[in-house]
Amino acid sequence: MNKFYQKDIISIKDFDKEQLEEIFSFTDKIMRMDSTERREISKGKTLAYLFYEPSTRTRLSFDSAIASIGGNSLGISDISSSSTQKGESLADTVKIMSIYSDVLVLRHPLDGSSRFAAEVSSKPVINAGSGTEEHPTQAIQDLFTIKKEKKMIDGLKIGIVGDLKYGRTVYSLLHGLGNYDVDVHLISPESLRIRTDSTYEIKKRLSFSESTDIEEHIDELDVLYVTRIQKERFPDEEEYLKVKGSYIVGMDLLKKMKDDAIVLHPLPRLDEISTDIDSTKNAKYFDQAEYGKYTRAALLGLTLNQDGF
Ligand code: NCD
């Protein structure tokens, strides 16, 4: 039996290097298949999504991923039109949605929400973003992008810039990178430094330096992972305004980078990457979004099929 079958995907911490590499091979396999062959993978299976926070890519890439492997999707992306408005609990909503589906994809503003949902759901739960804590499928997509575009992960120098305090993709990515031999350089305003309580474990497996200056190691980086300042998670708008626009990756900065360095971003982008970068060979964030469809199709195919595919 394939080891991912019927397993929840709650945290990237639950995946070791061997498992990540296995998911990458299945993703490559999906990318090589033609559409008819792909549609046989999870024919007739239903994915239910339940999104308590806005999303474009994550939800649509799950939609598109399940359709590409022959399944279908249903769900709630606008919570104001659901029974949550009448006071229904997360537990009851999850129980109901798991009756109508084979796998449930949840995005919720609270840390721990997906783990809680997995406890009450009769079907596997995939965490599509839980509070400021985790976004494991994004990390799998990010690692896959690095591997595809740089042909390796071990040995790379990776800069992560932006909102390192509230950006959940950063925490999942750091835990994922902990499986590899990489040098990580974290760049953020002082008030948005990485949370020490959440990096205690990562520090045992990953060495990283911290700085407020994006130029400090810019010429050494192989990958620059840019993140959005998470306005919606600031308790005080004044604090957001102080850090808004702290880093803008533009042509001037790109010129200081290695010729073959890549720029990634989980998206949505606001002003942190200027649009003139988009047409350069270094900009890989739209490719990253496309890889997300294939990594999610691989994850779904493995979760839904006892013998893999
Ligand atoms: C991210 C998220 O929701 O954490 N978006 C995404 O899923 N690609 C990043 C963000 O919102 O800034």
Side-chain angles (χ1 to χ4, degrees), residues 57-58 107 135 138 168-169 228 230 232 266-268:
R57 271 150 300 273
T58 306
R107 170 170 287 192
H135 194 345
Q138 178 72 46
R168 57 190 169 204
T169 68
R228 172 179 72 88
Q230 309 275 301
E232 69 278 24
L267 304 177

Side-chain angles (χ1 to χ4, degrees), residues 16-18 20-21 24 142-158 176-184 205-206 222-223 258:
D16 60 21
K17 184 172 185 174
E18 193 187 322
L20 289 171
E21 292 293 325
F24 300 157
D142 297 342
L143 293 168
F144 183 77
T145 306
I146 296 173
K147 181 148 193 200
K148 268 312 228 206
E149 297 297 330
K150 299 302 297 176
K151 310 283 175 248
M152 58 180 172
I153 300 179
D154 284 319
L156 295 181
K157 283 197 193 320
I158 300 174
L177 287 172
N179 292 293
Y180 297 87
D181 178 19
V182 289
D183 265 350
V184 173
R205 308 165 63 207
L206 187 74
D222 301 294
V223 179
K258 282 184 176 174

